[in-house]
Amino acid sequence: MSNLTFGIIKPDAVAKGHTGKIIDRILSNGFKIRGMKLIHQTKKNAEGFYAVHAERPFFGELTEFMSSGPCVVLALEKEGAVKAWRDLMGATNPAEAAEGTLRKDFAGSIGENAVHGSDSDENAAIEIAYFFSKLELV
Ligand code: ADP
Ligand code: MG
């Protein structure tokens, strides 16, 4: 099991001014931030990132949203990081997200749901490499 995962504070949460609160929750839950930057993705970049979802009906909406404004990309370290970060994020649909999770507290809808997290160690490594150069990882 790897100790790294990849996260995004999505454009909805950044636009609503929740970035600082989410970073505080990340740190107080024992994650170390190994990489972090504010970026504004192009649609093409978002399409590449979410290529696995290309056949899903919400792909256009999702990539429009992810390129609609700035987001914060994160490389996070903790033991069992992939599961720990998904547990802190909560369910994809905020209506189903448990109390105390980021999506319960900050997400507005199943599409605009405040945060992203990798779903496996393998994808965490791919996603970190998609956004960060070696120099940007400490
Ligand atoms: P997660 O982000 O929890 O891993 P998925 O990988 O299934 O969820 O989906 C990726 C992203 O696509 C979600 O976080 C959400 O932004 C969007 N999405 C998922 N399902 C829907 C849906 N039914 N309608 C609109 N957007 C969706
Ligand atoms: Mg996913």
Side-chain angles (χ1 to χ4, degrees):
M1 185 188 295
S2 156
N3 55 359
L4 282 177
T5 193
F6 174 74
I8 305 178
I9 303 173
K10 292 185 177 182
D12 59 321
V14 172
K16 289 178 189 157
H18 294 321
T19 303
K21 281 171 279 187
I22 292 174
I23 289 171
D24 191 46
R25 295 270 286 272
I26 288 169
L27 296 174
S28 64
N29 277 272
F31 291 89
K32 278 189 185 148
I33 297 176
R34 300 281 306 277
M36 175 164 71
K37 57 186 176 181
L38 181 71
I39 63 168
H40 188 157
Q41 293 191 75
T42 62
K43 186 133 189 295
K44 259 198 166 30
N45 203 89
E47 285 167 356
F49 178 69
Y50 278 118
V52 52
H53 293 309
E55 303 307 319
R56 310 272 287 268
F58 53 80
F59 183 67
E61 178 191 337
L62 174 61
T63 54
E64 278 291 332
F65 162 58
M66 291 301 288
S67 57
S68 67
C71 68
V72 176
V73 288
L74 298 155
L76 301 175
E77 180 178 4
K78 188 180 179 174
E79 206 181 317
V82 166
K83 180 174 189 302
W85 174 234
R86 290 198 69 91
D87 287 349
L88 180 58
M89 288 199 305
T92 308
N93 184 350
E96 291 161 13
E99 290 294 330
T101 64
L102 296 172
R103 282 169 166 167
K104 173 78 178 182
D105 294 341
F106 300 114
S109 68
I110 190 169
E112 306 203 356
N113 57 2
V115 281
H116 165 84
S118 307
D119 59 11
S120 66
D121 290 348
E122 187 191 2
N123 284 335
I126 291 168
E127 293 175 358
I128 288 170
Y130 192 78
F131 286 104
F132 291 102
S133 71
K134 279 220 167 75
L135 266 181
E136 293 171 327
L137 296 167
V138 300

